[in-house]
Amino acid sequence: MGERTLRDRAAIVGVGATQYYRRGESEPQLKLELVTTALTAALEDAGLTLDDVDGFASYAGGADTGLLAQWLGIPEVRFTANLTGGGGGAAGSLGLAAAAVATGMADCVVSFTAIQQGVSRFGAAFAKGGGAGTYSAPPMNEFDFTQLSGLMAPGQMFAVLTQRHMHLYGTTRDHFAEVAITQRANAVPRETAIMRTPLTRDDYFSARMITDPLCLYDFCLECDGSVAFITVSPDRAKDLRQPPVYVMASANGGAGRWGQAITWLGMPDEYFASTGHRPVAQRAYEMAGIGPADVDVALFYDHFSPLVLMQLEDYGFCGIGESGGFVADGNIRWPNGSIPVNTHGGNLSEAYILGMTHVREAVEQLRGTAVNQVDGAEIALVTGGPASLPVSNLILHR
Amino acid sequence: METVPKGVLPESLVWMTPDRYAVAFWEAAAEHRLVVPRCTQCGRYRMPPSPYCWGCRSRDYELVDHDGGATLYSFTVIRHGVIPDIRDVLPIIAGVADLDGTNVDGTGAARLVASVADAEPENVHIGQRLRIDWYDVRDGVAIPILRIAE
């Protein structure tokens, strides 16, 4: 038996996406049509066809593999998996695909997500009886112990973690503003981005507060769309259309007592004001055989700007509690910061497709085709959302 | 019914779906008693009620009456209503409270998450003392609220 690792045993060879829509604007297309559009584009990018596909590794798209395969006449499905969780799995779905390819369970695996928020609005994910256009959470015993406080949206819950971080470490809204403004600057030149007007400090501080300490610009966008990827073995990748991007590592999971996290709020003091990513960060770095200093570009899932700060800590780019000063020094800016972050504009300013746009940006950076290209980028880190367990990540190299 | 406290969920949004471990918590709440599960093997507390002690995995526990003393661990001031039903009662201050005496092994307290009622946002800060009070929602249903202690 060989070394038990995913490292260099799978490669991403195709990327495809729908256009990114504002919430509701992808209708009347069906959600599964968004998937097929992205999937077809990814296969075209790779130089493969639907007859080559034999695996599906999705994330929270709610897409039924059976229906997708039935629609498309996939010759034989040999692997299908969906990463569980409540926001943390985008990057990890590529890990599932790599695991399937590395173990020979399948040869050509599609990873994808799709989202249509006109139908189901994540901004009210835990609201009861919200009516049309919102997501009414299924009744659940555990939610009674948080929801009755008034908490019914992810942003409100992450605001609680953020407030604690500010209390412990002196983090300020200026630090959140640096994240929002930097990412907006990255989105401005991009045709794919929804928000293309520069954001000023005045804009940020005059925006309405949504849930203290978060204001409007600390929140991600609400979008529709789909992004898909094709993963094959390194041998197969050699003959395809694009330069392969290799999977160095992927991890999903987290500490057991991170658990339901934001819908629980009982996490231990040690990591309450964190992203829940410390265990998976450690595991991914070990698998990849690298540390944070080796990463050229970081694509951090940014549903809320303070969570970018906390990921900088949890992934070791600065010490725990030191992210505020770290970003204030310009470290996350493209192109001159020590670690350019969310060069595509992220969920805050490009589009919110459940974090799959971050994987797309990582692949483009490593192919050397990114709009905001990091010179000589060789290694990219991608994370799934800080959320309930599992959280996930992906490290890629060219 | 007494006066509704300021900054709490409207009555229409208060209903519970307790599993068999949580029923006793809500029954005690209806009587304005806070009960917290404590492991009878190792003494750790846990919230919400659940079948296992996360520390020693024992299933043996007792429901301990708690005096309602607590410290504010964190909070947010909800100013935007994500559903129409709550817009009239905003802002809501959602608080996370460490229950006194429940941090047995030093990793963290058992926590109660509830609205900080009848409070102005500028007067709320982490570390302040709280006491648990009760909001009588309807006959037989009360939910905990947090009040800033004098």
Side-chain angles (χ1 to χ4, degrees), chain A residues 65 70 114 126 153-154 200 238 265 338 349:
Chain A
T65 297
Q70 171 186 315
F126 308 106
T200 67
K238 285 178 197 157
L265 298 172
S338 65
S349 280

Side-chain angles (χ1 to χ4, degrees), chain A residues 128 144 160 211-212 267 269, chain B residues 15 17 74 76 79 111 115:
Chain A
K128 282 174 171 169
D144 292 344
V160 171
T211 183
D212 298 8
M267 302 85 89
D269 294 338
Chain B
W15 39 276
T17 53
S74 196
T76 183
R79 298 181 187 276
R111 301 201 182 109
S115 308

Side-chain angles (χ1 to χ4, degrees), chain A residues 225-238:
Chain A
S226 177
V227 186
F229 303 89
I230 309 295
T231 300
V232 301
S233 70
D235 270 355
R236 185 120 184 248
K238 285 178 197 157

Side-chain angles (χ1 to χ4, degrees), chain A residues 11-16 38-46 48 53 94 97 107-111 228-232 240 245 367:
Chain A
I12 299 173
V13 294
V15 182
L39 165 53
T40 306
L43 287 167
E44 171 69 23
D45 183 52
L48 292 165
V53 173
L94 276 296
D107 292 328
C108 178
V109 181
V110 182
S111 295
F229 303 89
I230 309 295
T231 300
V232 301
L240 299 178
V245 169
R367 286 179 179 176

Side-chain angles (χ1 to χ4, degrees), chain B residues 5-149:
Chain B
K6 195 174 127 224
V8 297
L9 276 190
E11 186 272 341
S12 64
L13 291 177
V14 180
W15 39 276
M16 295 79 133
T17 53
D19 65 20
R20 70 191 185 106
Y21 295 94
V23 167
F25 179 92
W26 295 112
E27 286 176 351
E31 299 170 357
H32 294 192
R33 285 190 301 119
L34 177 64
V35 295
V36 184
R38 181 175 65 188
C39 174
T40 49
Q41 296 296 314
C42 74
R44 287 183 176 90
Y45 292 85
R46 59 182 185 265
M47 276 292 285
S50 60
Y52 291 90
C53 171
W54 52 265
C56 75
R57 287 73 181 256
S58 169
R59 297 191 67 156
D60 300 327
Y61 70 96
E62 58 187 340
L63 292 174
V64 177
D65 275 295
H66 192 274
D67 69 4
T71 301
L72 189 64
Y73 188 72
S74 196
F75 69 100
T76 183
V77 183
I78 300 168
R79 298 181 187 276
H80 171 76
V82 295
I83 57 172
D85 291 6
I86 69 159
R87 287 181 189 155
D88 291 342
V89 300
L90 297 178
I92 290 176
I93 304 165
V96 179
D98 275 0
L99 297 173
D100 288 355
T102 62
N103 189 0
V104 173
D105 65 1
T107 62
R111 301 201 182 109
L112 187 72
V113 184
S115 308
V116 184
D118 295 319
E120 297 303 322
E122 58 271 24
N123 296 333
V124 176
H125 56 266
I126 289 174
Q128 77 187 149
R129 292 293 299 159
L130 303 166
R131 62 184 173 83
I132 309 305
D133 197 2
W134 302 94
Y135 160 30
D136 288 307
V137 182
R138 67 182 80 89
D139 276 353
V141 176
I143 63 172
I145 54 177
L146 303 170
R147 292 193 182 278
I148 299 171

